[in-house]
């Protein structure tokens, strides 16, 4: 049974913030897109593993290159994370591509396009009941 208490949530948020700062400021790999953000992180209760969800604004090739760049820099990221956070163990990081932001932007665009089109065959008049 998973125990999701305040301490675990706080640790996840701190790891997420630290990863975002490392990716934004410390990594100089040209494959990693500047429009990369860490949307979530989950550290296992034993502090051995961490799953980090990243979002990349861009096409599929840009997303794949960014994911490959992050996977190749995972050792550097882990060492920087160990310097930044005071944890008993520094977790092994697994990056997962999160497409929820891109999906939300696409749905918002479709809704806006649908709302902008007038409905055909219907006429709305005020006060006709």
């Amino acid at each position: 049974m998973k125990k999701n208490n305040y301490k675990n949530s706080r640790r996840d948020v701190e790891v997420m913030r630290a990863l975002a700062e490392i990716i934004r400021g410390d990594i100089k790999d040209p494959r990693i897109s500047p429009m990369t953000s860490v949307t979530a992180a989950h550290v296992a209760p034993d502090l051995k593993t961490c799953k980090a969800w990243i979002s990349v604004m861009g096409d599929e090739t840009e997303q794949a290159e960014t994911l490959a760049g992050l996977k190749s820099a995972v050792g550097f990221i882990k060492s920087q994370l160990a310097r930044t956070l005071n944890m008993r163990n520094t977790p092994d990081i697994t990056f997962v591509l999160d497409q929820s932001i891109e999906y939300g932007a696409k749905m918002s665009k479709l809704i806006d396009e649908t709302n902008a089109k007038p409905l055909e065959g219907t006429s709305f008049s005020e006060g006709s009941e």
Side-chain angles (χ1 to χ4, degrees):
M1 186 162 125
K2 182 180 172 185
K3 189 175 181 182
N4 192 11
N5 58 16
Y6 179 73
K7 185 177 180 181
N8 292 343
S9 299
R10 190 177 66 188
R11 181 186 57 225
D12 291 347
V13 169
E14 287 300 317
V15 168
M16 182 183 77
R17 286 183 186 159
L19 285 174
E21 192 65 33
I22 292 167
I23 291 170
R24 183 175 40 248
D26 296 340
I27 299 178
K28 305 295 185 223
D29 193 338
R31 294 178 290 179
I32 298 174
S33 170
M35 297 297 286
T36 301
S37 61
V38 180
T39 57
H42 176 70
V43 180
D46 63 355
L47 304 177
K48 301 265 185 202
T49 60
C50 171
K51 187 181 275 191
W53 286 268
I54 61 159
S55 177
V56 181
M57 294 300 286
D59 58 356
E60 291 180 11
T61 58
E62 217 173 328
Q63 292 173 352
E65 287 178 3
T66 299
L67 200 56
L70 288 172
K71 285 182 180 179
S72 70
V74 75
F76 174 76
I77 294 170
K78 184 176 176 179
S79 68
Q80 292 297 103
L81 192 64
R83 287 184 188 173
T84 305
L85 299 177
N86 185 16
M87 295 174 68
R88 187 178 31 185
N89 295 326
T90 304
D92 294 325
I93 305 164
T94 304
F95 291 102
V96 179
L97 191 60
D98 181 15
Q99 297 178 335
S100 62
I101 294 174
E102 184 179 335
Y103 179 77
K106 182 180 175 183
M107 286 294 123
S108 178
K109 181 182 173 188
L110 289 173
I111 290 169
D112 291 342
E113 288 174 0
T114 303
N115 287 338
K117 293 179 185 176
L119 294 175
E120 295 178 20
T122 60
S123 63
F124 294 104
S125 59
E126 293 182 24
S128 61
E129 290 186 11

